[in-house]
Amino acid sequence: MRTFFSEDHRLHFPQAELTGGQFVTPYERPSRVEYVLNRLKEQGLADIVAPDAPDMAPVKKLLDPGFLRFLETAWDEWKAAGMKGEVIAAGMPARGMHPDRCPEYIDGKVGYYCHASETAITGGTWRAALSSLASAQSAQAQVAAGAQAAFALCRPPGHHATADQYGGYCFINNAAVVAQMFRDDGAGKVAVLDIDFHHGNGTQNIFYDRADVLFASLHGDPRHAYPYYLGYADERGTGAGEGANLNYPMLPGTPYGPWAEALDDAIAKIRAAGVEALVVSLGVDAFKDDPISFFKLESADFADAGRRIAGLGLPTVFCMEGGYAIEAVGINTVNVLEGFLGA
Amino acid sequence: MRTFFSEDHRLHFPQAELTGGQFVTPYERPSRVEYVLNRLKEQGLADIVAPDAPDMAPVKKLLDPGFLRFLETAWDEWKAAGMKGEVIAAGMPARGMHPDRCPEYIDGKVGYYCHASETAITGGTWRAALSSLASAQSAQAQVAAGAQAAFALCRPPGHHATADQYGGYCFINNAAVVAQMFRDDGAGKVAVLDIDFHHGNGTQNIFYDRADVLFASLHGDPRHAYPYYLGYADERGTGAGEGANLNYPMLPGTPYGPWAEALDDAIAKIRAAGVEALVVSLGVDAFKDDPISFFKLESADFADAGRRIAGLGLPTVFCMEGGYAIEAVGINTVNVLEGFLGA
Ligand SMILES: [Zn+2]
Ligand SMILES: [Zn+2]
């Protein structure tokens, strides 16, 4: 399996993440992918290549062009307004406010296009997000050209980003773009399977009213886990998309047994839906030692999960999402891939 | 005119305000009211008394009881969860998320009950907010008992707080509580006139569907000024409240001329509505040197505004709101009161 990876991810490394009422060094940091790269090489998965340039055409069709322009210009506009720190949202269009009027002043714009203030934008964020997108797109192209699977070692991750909001360390929803590209390439139906610990609110949001992209997410119950305000089991899609959104929220302390049951259920429904291509939002923060999550998966469980996913027999793009137990991120991520390959 | 004031405001003084991507010492700080107190005394308005204990009965009827419990317990719950800093919201129920499901974990709860992350909750915030409320309630009681006017030197301020959200330095909407108490005391119709630089989104929100409380706000255009996502001129109320919400958004650089025209228009509409009691949300951040605002009022203009408001001839409670040009806050605030008294 080929890995697509860009060194430009390093351009995004904010000084600050807002958590617990303080600024800390972001959990989502460059060293995460170093561990994945090293583990890939150790395990003989050394086919690691740089992606082609990103193709913005499918992105602009799927996501809000105003949001993309915002991401590209936010840092310059913020600095031009005299802001001293990194770009961090303060107010947002909260309950009872206009969801559809974007202010002109950059401070208001930032809040409009953001859904969580832990995530800062820096001078290099846009280029890093583009390089992450590029890896996802190149992985999709390789699979569309006939490879069984490819791994996009994306950083920053993408699954929390909606069509017009960043947050949760995510800026461009790589997995959603890949799913749309499979559709554009002729797949009748595509599934996004999100095994990151956190609900893939961005991906759900983007495809919520569509029947042609099935979304399934295993994640911490939103009553207890970020993103808190989405990810309930009764969110099943709307309109044509009714029934094409599958959420498996699980409680603190959930071990692999029930997690794997949820995975099997999602896999069965993806199989039954007649899906022709699969995108896996591959986060490994379901790991027992993850510092910001509460599931109890062991490292070996990730290999088992990979085997189960391979059972679908679908052309598959893995997009890297979260995982913050830094040294274990490599082992757990590569375990999923090896489980998939060895199945 | 009697001033009601509690020293307990000092219990609220967060270390941190999130602004421009950094933590700064909050603009909304205890010294603000010291300047007002000193100026009151200098000008012979030395009738300054401590309020009675707050009466929670009317507050619980007007505001969300779950929100009030949250404000009371947030600090302890936050600390019990191991958070190191002050209570600061990161994520919020943003566009596309559930507006009506409050998470169980404190980090999610904080975001649910917040609409702007600049505002921190500390161990003393609840008691300070109650003392601010108490000043407002005691001022109302004095006017209800026959005084022409009273001044509640509230801190923290209140007009950005909705029935179930804090933010914008505000926790309990003092002005809204006073308006409701006038209604409960028999006033057929009450008006809240908000001359703070910022839109009184909380007050608007609380009374938006009611005809019995007219709300009028002069403020920075939300395209350019906090709270950004509310305060447009086309927000005119809903249902029975249709037409009872009057917003006067104004552009950066607005001087007293057009500001006073908006004030006169609001006053004319309050007069025409047959209002029997008036609450003034008295912020003085429309001042030309305010560090976080963009109108151009001179100190003398505040006295003129007070004179115009007095022209209504209504029983009036002034509730202190914003104003951050610290040394001028006293002069400008007392100018409004003196203009009112001398009219
Ligand atoms: Zn995650
Ligand atoms: Zn203000």
Side-chain angles (χ1 to χ4, degrees):
Chain A
M1 190 184 322
R2 180 168 288 175
T3 293
F4 294 88
F5 171 73
S6 169
E7 287 289 346
D8 283 353
H9 76 91
R10 295 179 185 288
L11 296 167
H12 175 70
F13 187 20
Q15 289 176 16
E17 170 178 336
L18 176 64
T19 185
Q22 291 189 308
F23 285 140
V24 302
T25 301
Y27 289 100
E28 200 293 288
R29 60 186 70 163
S31 55
R32 296 173 59 243
V33 297
E34 297 305 316
Y35 281 93
V36 180
L37 286 172
N38 290 340
R39 183 68 179 179
L40 284 167
K41 290 169 192 164
E42 273 172 33
Q43 298 301 103
L45 292 162
D47 181 10
I48 301 167
V49 303
D52 295 333
D55 175 8
M56 295 309 286
V59 182
K60 287 177 181 167
K61 276 198 299 180
L62 187 68
L63 307 180
D64 179 63
F67 171 58
L68 296 169
R69 267 195 308 279
F70 162 78
L71 287 178
E72 186 171 2
T73 57
W75 174 260
D76 289 344
E77 234 180 290
W78 185 258
K79 286 297 158 184
M83 307 299 192
K84 300 282 195 298
E86 297 171 334
V87 180
I88 300 180
M92 291 176 203
R95 295 179 289 123
M97 295 176 165
H98 291 289
D100 53 0
R101 297 187 187 182
C102 183
E104 294 178 22
Y105 184 54
I106 183 63
D107 187 45
K109 247 194 243 186
V110 168
Y112 181 80
Y113 284 123
C114 181
H115 59 59
S117 295
E118 82 291 298
T119 301
I121 294 174
T122 69
T125 297
W126 174 243
R127 280 177 60 200
L130 286 183
S131 79
S132 182
L133 169 70
S135 291
Q137 290 186 310
S138 288
Q140 190 276 337
Q142 205 214 11
V143 173
Q148 177 61 25
F151 175 40
L153 181 42
C154 297
R155 181 180 177 276
H159 72 143
H160 293 305
T162 71
D164 62 359
Q165 291 164 317
Y166 73 97
Y169 315 142
C170 299
F171 303 93
I172 298 175
N173 194 316
N174 304 305
V177 170
V178 168
Q180 182 62 50
M181 288 173 73
F182 275 127
R183 283 284 293 120
D184 294 345
D185 285 344
K189 196 176 266 194
V190 180
V192 181
L193 173 62
D194 189 326
I195 63 170
D196 186 281
F197 168 79
H198 300 94
H199 178 242
N201 63 293
T203 317
Q204 166 171 316
N205 190 287
I206 290 169
F207 296 118
Y208 204 59
D209 60 357
R210 287 173 54 172
D212 60 330
V213 181
L214 186 69
F215 177 66
S217 178
L218 283 63
H219 53 265
D221 189 309
R223 291 172 298 175
H224 303 279
Y226 176 87
Y228 298 119
Y229 317 107
L230 212 67
Y232 286 85
D234 64 357
E235 297 157 13
R236 296 182 37 77
T238 187
E242 175 83 44
N245 196 85
L246 305 168
N247 281 332
Y248 299 88
M250 287 169 275
L251 290 172
T254 296
Y256 188 60
W259 192 91
E261 276 180 42
L263 179 63
D264 283 347
D265 192 75
I267 287 171
K269 287 183 169 131
I270 289 169
R271 184 179 287 115
V275 162
E276 294 169 29
L278 179 66
V279 188
V280 178
S281 267
L282 175 50
V284 292
D285 35 10
F287 183 54
K288 63 180 165 60
D289 295 334
D290 195 89
I292 61 171
S293 309
F294 58 56
F295 288 166
K296 297 295 170 201
L297 271 63
E298 307 281 343
S299 287
D301 297 332
F302 287 97
D304 188 69
R307 275 190 290 278
R308 293 177 195 232
I309 293 167
L312 279 166
L314 289 168
T316 300
V317 170
F318 292 91
C319 289
M320 189 77 207
E321 304 284 2
Y324 309 99
I326 308 280
E327 295 179 30
V329 169
I331 293 167
N332 295 339
T333 301
V334 176
N335 275 4
V336 173
L337 303 178
E338 290 184 304
F340 181 91
L341 290 170
Chain B
M1 190 183 324
R2 178 169 288 175
T3 294
F4 294 88
F5 170 73
S6 168
E7 286 290 344
D8 283 354
H9 76 91
R10 297 179 183 286
L11 295 167
H12 175 70
F13 187 20
Q15 289 175 16
E17 171 178 337
L18 176 64
T19 185
Q22 293 189 308
F23 285 139
V24 302
T25 300
Y27 288 100
E28 200 294 289
R29 61 187 68 164
S31 56
R32 296 174 58 243
V33 297
E34 296 305 317
Y35 280 93
V36 180
L37 286 172
N38 289 341
R39 183 68 179 177
L40 284 167
K41 291 168 190 164
E42 274 172 31
Q43 298 300 102
L45 292 162
D47 181 11
I48 302 167
V49 303
D52 294 333
D55 175 8
M56 294 310 285
V59 182
K60 287 177 181 168
K61 275 197 299 179
L62 187 67
L63 309 179
D64 179 63
F67 171 59
L68 296 169
R69 268 194 308 278
F70 162 79
L71 286 178
E72 186 170 4
T73 58
W75 174 261
D76 289 344
E77 234 181 289
W78 184 258
K79 287 297 158 183
M83 307 299 192
K84 300 283 195 299
E86 296 170 335
V87 180
I88 300 180
M92 292 176 203
R95 294 179 289 125
M97 296 176 164
H98 291 290
D100 52 0
R101 296 187 187 182
C102 182
E104 293 179 21
Y105 184 53
I106 183 63
D107 187 46
K109 245 194 245 188
V110 168
Y112 181 80
Y113 285 123
C114 181
H115 59 59
S117 295
E118 81 293 297
T119 301
I121 294 174
T122 70
T125 297
W126 174 245
R127 280 177 60 201
L130 286 184
S131 80
S132 181
L133 168 71
S135 291
Q137 290 185 309
S138 288
Q140 190 276 338
Q142 206 215 10
V143 172
Q148 176 61 24
F151 175 41
L153 180 42
C154 297
R155 180 180 177 274
H159 71 143
H160 294 304
T162 71
D164 62 359
Q165 291 164 317
Y166 73 97
Y169 315 141
C170 299
F171 304 92
I172 298 175
N173 195 316
N174 305 305
V177 170
V178 168
Q180 183 62 49
M181 289 172 73
F182 275 126
R183 284 284 292 121
D184 294 345
D185 286 343
K189 195 177 268 193
V190 180
V192 181
L193 173 62
D194 190 326
I195 63 170
D196 186 280
F197 168 79
H198 300 94
H199 177 242
N201 62 293
T203 316
Q204 168 171 317
N205 190 286
I206 290 169
F207 297 117
Y208 204 59
D209 60 356
R210 288 172 55 172
D212 60 331
V213 180
L214 186 70
F215 177 66
S217 178
L218 282 63
H219 52 266
D221 190 307
R223 291 173 298 175
H224 304 278
Y226 176 88
Y228 297 118
Y229 318 108
L230 213 65
Y232 287 86
D234 64 356
E235 297 157 13
R236 296 184 35 78
T238 188
E242 175 84 43
N245 196 85
L246 304 169
N247 281 332
Y248 300 88
M250 287 168 274
L251 289 172
T254 296
Y256 187 60
W259 192 92
E261 276 179 43
L263 179 64
D264 283 345
D265 192 75
I267 286 171
K269 288 183 169 127
I270 289 169
R271 184 177 287 116
V275 163
E276 294 170 27
L278 178 68
V279 187
V280 178
S281 268
L282 174 51
V284 292
D285 35 11
F287 182 54
K288 62 181 166 59
D289 294 335
D290 195 89
I292 60 172
S293 310
F294 57 58
F295 288 165
K296 297 295 169 202
L297 271 62
E298 307 281 342
S299 287
D301 297 332
F302 288 96
D304 187 68
R307 273 189 291 277
R308 293 178 195 231
I309 293 167
L312 279 166
L314 288 169
T316 299
V317 169
F318 292 91
C319 289
M320 188 77 206
E321 304 285 2
Y324 308 100
I326 309 281
E327 296 180 30
V329 169
I331 292 167
N332 295 339
T333 301
V334 176
N335 275 4
V336 173
L337 303 178
E338 290 185 305
F340 181 91
L341 291 170

